[in-house]
Amino acid sequence: MAAPWWRLCRRWSTTCMSPGVFEAGRRSNGRSVWFGRASWSSGPRAQRQLSALQTQKTQDPLNLKSSVTRHKSRLLCPTLRSCSCRTAHSDAKLKDPFTLAQKDLTSLYDDIKKELFVSKEELKSLCDYYFDGKGKAIRPLIVVLMARALNIHSNKAGDLLPGQRAIAMISEMIHTASLVHDDVIDGSDKRRGKRTINEVWGERKAILAGDFILSAASMALARIGDIAVVKVLSQVIEDLVRGEFMQLGSKENENERFKHYLEKTFKKTASLIANSCKAVSILVNSDPDVHEIAYQYGKNVGIAFQLVDDVLDFTSGASQLGKPSAADLKLGLATGPVLFACQQFPELHAMIMRRFSSNGDVDRAWQYVLQSDGVQQTNYLAQRYCQEAIRQISQLQPSPERDALIRITEMVLTRDK
Amino acid sequence: MLPAVRSRLCCARSRRGQRTLSLFSSSGPSNWNKVVSDAEKIVGYPTSFMSLRCLLSDELSNVAMHVRKLAGTQHPLLNTARGFVYDSRNNLQMRGLVVLLLSKAAGPSHQASSLLPQDMVSGIYPSQRNLAEITELIHTAFLVHRGIVDLKEWTLSDGPLKDMQFGNKMAVLSGDFLLANACTGLAQLNNTKVVELISSAIGDLVQGIYYENANNSEEKNLSSGVDVVAWEEQAFLSHGALLAKSCQAAMELAEHDKEAQRLAYKYGKHLSLGHNLNSDLQPFVKSSMTEPMLFSLTSAPVMFHRQLVGQERWHQQLQQAKTLRNQLDYSKLLAAVKSEKGVSSAVDLCCYHSNKALEAIQAFPSSEARSALENIASAITKF
């Protein structure tokens, strides 16, 4: 907690593979190293990674045992391997994370709507708009599973604490409020197959609706009555805004740029998951080491989640439409795949600096990314973060919920939308 | 460093020249300014450093840099930024000031508690100073968010759409930034009751502004039945709730009892309503005008007027005030409102709220701070 997260992450990366992430990336200049020390195979790397990805997708996602073997084959360092093995043996009957958390999440959206109490009909319908039960609710899912895993770890069996249930709800509210504002900032007109709030009601009202959801979340948070929890989740709100500000600028220097990208990813996505996990830990346990495990799991899963999201921006929809959305490029944002591709194709540098604003930049950048192994490298990086998440969560006492959290890292990596 | 930020913000101003409308300043008479500047001396230094920290942050300097690009456009953020510069110079942070004065007037905590009298500076606890700043941060955040432009209502003749998109982006981000700082500041106060109270004030503020928007569209104005009760409800949400709840929270932070909290809330509520009436009345009471002042058709004197003359007559007056180009001649309408009792009713209501505010603080011990609060409450009835 004390050191900035990226320093931790860097420390972690240097302990795991001798050249640090950034140095390795630069030295390889896109041609070979990156994971050059890897003992897991030989042969042309791109092909290898591609086939690994394909296996991943075709395999039954519910079968953890096979996926753990897959993990093992990919692992780089022995320490990670050993803890991953431990997980495989810890529990025989495995449940789907969604099924496991279902009973805790059935009333989620109804509870949220009750928090959004407002007499004016129109404002109410704006606030409820995205709480229609069609979202993935991945944050509440993680929070609920983490809370149960931590309760068992702390020998407090039984139901979720009311405060923990509230955190699950608040995490989804904060997330939604930030989505509503992001859509205005990005000028998006579609989200989850619906027209965005700004598209239907205009920008002014959309911003107010976002503010209202945030104030309701903040009230619910205060009502839990634990000031430490309030502090932890207020930090998220600040991180979300700072992350958004970080998206405004581009860095000239390549190493800086990657660090900037990962830091932004933490603030915009991982901070909410990490700090929500920490908050449910604070509510049941007084041991700071346990809080740190919960936080580290959330942080690593969160970053992996966003890295995969950035990859999907290039790959998803490609099969159906023949063309990816490349929404990030259109917004002028250089995400993981582009940053990696830039090491192979320095031509991208100028485009990144002008935020893909010249005619044809978006198409050209997209071509470069597909010709490079930026997608594979980003996927690989996401796997590394998931490994770390597994390593962290494996320190808790075994429980079905703990194993479901491990399963979630799988789902994060294999999702295709 | 401050001048650097300031000059950056000023750049935005200089190109467009004179400021037309500041969302920050009240157009009150010099009497008001004197009352306020006297009161500021009582609370020692007027603010803590939270807003300064925000102003100097990388994020806001970044915005300030970008706001330059908006110079010459119509985006409201420009006016807000301009007002911010003016305001920090004039120290017209009325809400924060009232919170500090009330904190001082209520004095140290009587409960045996963790609060130590020696922590007080000029008779105010540090947490109360932070609260005063948070109140200002929230107020400023919503001044910025109020200025978001609906892009679909923007026509090309108003200027390039790209400017408006960019202005919106800056306005959303800087408003969010101020709100986020308010959130972390609130958490640092170490009191979940205060966090809940101020969060609910943010919710009220949003509802008030939302309601404000709905009422401003003219067609609705003409048809819907509007009255003074609705005006007061709306004014409370969009202006009063934040001050009232901040005053209450200041008492909670010093562990004063429920009764003190209730009185502080009451003072804040009535003061804002009175202050709001005073602002609404300005166009109707100022005698020497070089150009006719615009006023809202939902401002208090107009609302009273409409209630008094009835819907039908009001429609007639609106028709009569229409120019050939189908625009409203505000000086004509002004005369129509002035000819009836709407203005004097609004003045009466203003006095009522002023008295209620005075009444609320009589329970606090007599002090310099209390006198300042009395002066402020009296000043809102001077025109």
Side-chain angles (χ1 to χ4, degrees), chain B residues 202-268:
Chain B
I202 296 176
D204 293 341
L205 202 47
V206 174
Q207 291 186 60
I209 297 171
Y210 198 95
Y211 194 31
E212 203 170 73
N213 289 348
N215 273 358
N216 275 351
S217 67
E218 254 187 62
E219 300 82 62
K220 260 197 184 159
N221 264 332
L222 301 179
S223 53
S224 67
V226 275
D227 56 27
V228 176
V229 177
W231 178 89
E232 213 166 72
E233 192 185 314
Q234 199 267 327
F236 175 72
L237 286 174
S238 55
H239 297 278
L242 179 61
L243 184 60
K245 290 180 175 176
S246 291
C247 290
Q248 184 186 343
M251 300 299 104
E252 165 68 29
L253 284 174
E255 297 174 20
H256 289 300
D257 61 13
K258 284 269 170 286
E259 180 58 11
Q261 291 185 29
R262 191 185 67 80
L263 291 169
Y265 176 95
K266 202 175 153 197
Y267 178 83

Side-chain angles (χ1 to χ4, degrees), chain A residues 221-261:
Chain A
L221 181 62
R223 255 184 262 121
I224 295 174
D226 186 318
I227 196 68
V229 167
V230 174
K231 284 180 186 171
V232 163
L233 282 175
S234 305
Q235 184 58 45
V236 173
I237 296 169
E238 199 178 308
D239 283 344
L240 283 170
V241 184
R242 288 190 189 268
E244 198 62 48
F245 267 100
M246 289 180 79
Q247 268 185 5
L248 289 178
S250 339
K251 291 266 181 278
E252 183 76 44
N253 175 294
E254 263 182 49
N255 281 337
E256 285 260 297
R257 199 188 279 154
F258 209 89
K259 199 177 85 182
H260 189 85
Y261 166 66

Side-chain angles (χ1 to χ4, degrees), chain B residues 13-217:
Chain B
R13 191 192 61 206
S14 55
R15 274 214 237 160
R16 287 245 313 166
Q18 215 195 341
R19 77 168 166 168
T20 45
L21 162 102
S22 164
L23 289 159
F24 274 78
S25 71
S26 72
S27 41
S30 58
N31 171 44
W32 171 261
N33 289 340
K34 181 166 183 339
V35 168
V36 170
S37 66
D38 286 349
E40 279 180 342
K41 286 170 200 146
I42 295 168
V43 293
Y45 54 99
T47 57
S48 74
F49 293 102
M50 196 178 295
S51 67
L52 200 60
R53 215 166 54 221
C54 276
L55 201 60
L56 296 179
S57 68
D58 284 352
E59 280 80 3
L60 280 201
S61 332
N62 208 337
V63 168
M65 205 175 68
H66 285 299
V67 164
R68 267 201 225 180
K69 295 187 202 155
L70 289 176
T73 73
Q74 302 284 318
H75 202 281
L77 181 61
L78 212 58
N79 279 320
T80 314
R82 208 172 286 151
F84 201 55
V85 176
Y86 268 80
D87 230 47
S88 54
R89 197 174 295 159
N90 297 339
N91 279 327
L92 259 173
Q93 304 192 322
M94 198 270 277
R95 289 152 205 86
L97 179 64
V98 168
V99 170
L100 293 177
L101 285 170
L102 259 174
S103 301
K104 184 162 184 168
S109 172
H110 302 297
Q111 251 87 21
S113 72
S114 53
L115 296 169
L116 302 169
Q118 59 263 36
D119 286 341
M120 292 178 122
V121 177
S122 304
I124 299 162
Y125 290 110
S127 61
Q128 292 173 318
R129 285 189 189 274
N130 288 333
L131 173 70
E133 270 308 312
I134 292 165
T135 307
E136 286 298 335
L137 280 181
I138 294 169
H139 174 70
T140 311
F142 280 100
L143 287 176
V144 175
H145 276 180
R146 261 187 177 104
I148 306 277
V149 175
D150 279 334
L151 298 175
K152 278 189 183 159
E153 283 167 26
W154 195 256
T155 56
L156 264 175
S157 60
D158 295 325
L161 187 67
K162 245 181 109 184
D163 291 342
M164 289 303 111
Q165 279 168 334
F166 186 74
N168 270 358
K169 193 168 168 171
M170 288 301 114
V172 174
L173 280 174
S174 42
D176 282 354
F177 181 76
L178 294 169
L179 268 185
N181 274 277
C183 280
T184 41
L186 269 179
Q188 297 305 320
L189 297 177
N190 284 324
N191 185 320
T192 55
K193 272 189 214 154
V194 170
V195 176
E196 187 179 349
L197 195 58
I198 302 298
S199 302
S200 79
I202 296 176
D204 293 341
L205 202 47
V206 174
Q207 291 186 60
I209 297 171
Y210 198 95
Y211 194 31
E212 203 170 73
N213 289 348
N215 273 358
N216 275 351
S217 67

